[in-house]
Short mmCIF file of all heavy atoms in Angstrom, two decimals:
data_model
loop_
_atom_site.label_atom_id
_atom_site.label_comp_id
_atom_site.label_asym_id
_atom_site.label_seq_id
_atom_site.Cartn_x
_atom_site.Cartn_y
_atom_site.Cartn_z
N SER O 16 -46.35 85.94 -51.07
CA SER O 16 -46.10 84.99 -50.06
C SER O 16 -44.94 85.47 -49.17
O SER O 16 -44.02 86.01 -49.70
CB SER O 16 -45.71 83.66 -50.63
OG SER O 16 -46.84 83.18 -51.38
N ASN O 33 -46.50 74.83 -43.94
CA ASN O 33 -46.11 74.82 -42.55
C ASN O 33 -45.58 73.49 -42.16
O ASN O 33 -46.38 72.66 -41.57
CB ASN O 33 -47.32 75.29 -41.68
CG ASN O 33 -47.55 76.77 -41.76
OD1 ASN O 33 -46.59 77.55 -41.83
ND2 ASN O 33 -48.81 77.20 -41.69
N ASN O 77 -10.97 23.15 -25.17
CA ASN O 77 -10.23 24.13 -25.95
C ASN O 77 -10.82 24.19 -27.34
O ASN O 77 -11.05 23.19 -27.95
CB ASN O 77 -8.74 24.02 -25.97
CG ASN O 77 -8.20 24.05 -24.52
OD1 ASN O 77 -8.43 25.07 -23.81
ND2 ASN O 77 -7.37 23.10 -24.19
N ILE O 93 -6.91 21.16 -36.53
CA ILE O 93 -7.75 20.06 -36.99
C ILE O 93 -8.09 19.10 -35.82
O ILE O 93 -7.24 18.84 -34.96
CB ILE O 93 -6.91 19.18 -38.02
CG1 ILE O 93 -6.52 20.06 -39.19
CG2 ILE O 93 -7.74 18.06 -38.55
CD1 ILE O 93 -5.65 19.27 -40.28
N LYS O 108 -26.51 2.03 -32.93
CA LYS O 108 -27.98 2.39 -32.70
C LYS O 108 -28.33 2.20 -31.24
O LYS O 108 -28.06 1.31 -30.51
CB LYS O 108 -28.86 1.47 -33.59
CG LYS O 108 -30.28 1.97 -33.66
CD LYS O 108 -31.08 1.16 -34.65
CE LYS O 108 -32.51 1.63 -34.68
NZ LYS O 108 -33.28 0.78 -35.71
N PRO O 187 -6.48 5.14 -41.44
CA PRO O 187 -6.21 6.40 -42.18
C PRO O 187 -7.33 7.32 -42.08
O PRO O 187 -8.48 7.02 -41.82
CB PRO O 187 -6.06 5.91 -43.67
CG PRO O 187 -6.85 4.69 -43.82
CD PRO O 187 -6.79 4.02 -42.37
N MET O 207 -1.60 -5.29 -37.23
CA MET O 207 -0.89 -6.51 -36.94
C MET O 207 0.20 -6.16 -35.80
O MET O 207 0.28 -6.92 -34.79
CB MET O 207 0.00 -7.07 -38.12
CG MET O 207 0.70 -8.41 -37.91
SD MET O 207 1.49 -8.88 -39.40
CE MET O 207 0.08 -9.10 -40.48
N ILE O 253 -16.22 42.82 -49.91
CA ILE O 253 -15.88 44.32 -50.11
C ILE O 253 -15.71 44.57 -51.63
O ILE O 253 -16.27 45.62 -52.14
CB ILE O 253 -14.62 44.60 -49.41
CG1 ILE O 253 -14.79 44.54 -47.85
CG2 ILE O 253 -14.01 45.99 -49.74
CD1 ILE O 253 -13.58 44.78 -47.04
N ALA O 308 -15.88 20.60 -59.17
CA ALA O 308 -16.90 20.65 -58.19
C ALA O 308 -16.38 20.94 -56.79
O ALA O 308 -15.17 20.63 -56.55
CB ALA O 308 -17.63 19.21 -58.14
N TYR O 383 -24.81 55.27 -49.35
CA TYR O 383 -23.96 53.99 -49.61
C TYR O 383 -22.83 53.92 -48.66
O TYR O 383 -22.48 52.92 -48.05
CB TYR O 383 -23.41 54.12 -51.06
CG TYR O 383 -22.24 53.24 -51.34
CD1 TYR O 383 -22.44 51.87 -51.66
CD2 TYR O 383 -20.92 53.66 -51.24
CE1 TYR O 383 -21.34 51.07 -51.99
CE2 TYR O 383 -19.77 52.79 -51.38
CZ TYR O 383 -20.07 51.49 -51.79
OH TYR O 383 -19.02 50.67 -52.05
N LEU O 386 -24.23 53.00 -45.13
CA LEU O 386 -24.70 51.65 -45.16
C LEU O 386 -23.38 50.69 -45.15
O LEU O 386 -23.52 49.63 -44.53
CB LEU O 386 -25.49 51.36 -46.39
CG LEU O 386 -26.44 50.12 -46.36
CD1 LEU O 386 -27.32 50.15 -45.12
CD2 LEU O 386 -27.28 49.94 -47.69
N LYS O 421 -1.43 14.80 -15.20
CA LYS O 421 -1.24 15.63 -14.10
C LYS O 421 -1.16 14.92 -12.79
O LYS O 421 -0.27 15.20 -11.92
CB LYS O 421 -2.34 16.79 -14.09
CG LYS O 421 -2.35 17.73 -15.17
CD LYS O 421 -3.45 18.71 -15.03
CE LYS O 421 -3.41 19.69 -16.30
NZ LYS O 421 -4.53 20.72 -16.18
N SER O 434 -19.01 20.71 -25.17
CA SER O 434 -19.78 21.09 -26.27
C SER O 434 -20.13 22.64 -25.98
O SER O 434 -20.04 23.17 -24.92
CB SER O 434 -21.08 20.38 -26.46
OG SER O 434 -20.86 19.04 -26.78
N GLY O 532 -42.47 17.70 -40.77
CA GLY O 532 -42.92 17.00 -39.63
C GLY O 532 -43.83 15.84 -39.85
O GLY O 532 -44.24 15.11 -38.95
N SER O 578 -47.33 63.58 -42.65
CA SER O 578 -47.02 62.26 -41.93
C SER O 578 -47.00 61.14 -42.96
O SER O 578 -47.54 61.21 -44.08
CB SER O 578 -47.89 61.97 -40.74
OG SER O 578 -49.21 61.71 -41.25
N LEU O 610 -34.62 44.94 -63.93
CA LEU O 610 -33.60 44.15 -64.76
C LEU O 610 -32.24 44.76 -64.58
O LEU O 610 -31.27 44.12 -64.54
CB LEU O 610 -34.06 44.06 -66.20
CG LEU O 610 -35.27 43.26 -66.51
CD1 LEU O 610 -35.55 43.20 -67.99
CD2 LEU O 610 -35.10 41.77 -65.99
N ALA O 635 -5.66 25.43 -47.91
CA ALA O 635 -5.09 26.00 -46.63
C ALA O 635 -6.29 26.40 -45.71
O ALA O 635 -7.46 26.08 -45.81
CB ALA O 635 -4.13 27.07 -46.97
N TRP O 650 -24.46 38.80 -53.89
CA TRP O 650 -25.58 39.13 -54.70
C TRP O 650 -26.56 40.14 -53.98
O TRP O 650 -27.01 41.10 -54.64
CB TRP O 650 -26.47 37.76 -55.02
CG TRP O 650 -27.42 37.84 -56.12
CD1 TRP O 650 -28.07 39.00 -56.60
CD2 TRP O 650 -27.83 36.83 -56.93
NE1 TRP O 650 -28.97 38.71 -57.59
CE2 TRP O 650 -28.81 37.35 -57.80
CE3 TRP O 650 -27.64 35.52 -56.97
CZ2 TRP O 650 -29.47 36.52 -58.74
CZ3 TRP O 650 -28.25 34.66 -57.93
CH2 TRP O 650 -29.15 35.19 -58.82
N ALA O 657 -27.25 48.69 -55.89
CA ALA O 657 -27.91 49.05 -57.08
C ALA O 657 -29.26 49.79 -56.77
O ALA O 657 -29.68 50.82 -57.43
CB ALA O 657 -28.23 47.80 -57.99
N CYS O 676 -49.96 63.84 -62.26
CA CYS O 676 -51.31 63.55 -61.92
C CYS O 676 -51.96 64.70 -61.22
O CYS O 676 -53.03 65.06 -61.54
CB CYS O 676 -51.34 62.32 -60.98
SG CYS O 676 -50.87 60.76 -61.78
#
Side-chain angles (χ1 to χ4, degrees):
S16 298
N33 283 325
N77 297 310
I93 303 174
K108 190 176 182 180
M207 184 180 300
I253 292 176
Y383 164 85
L386 198 56
K421 294 180 180 179
S434 298
S578 66
L610 292 181
W650 193 336
C676 294

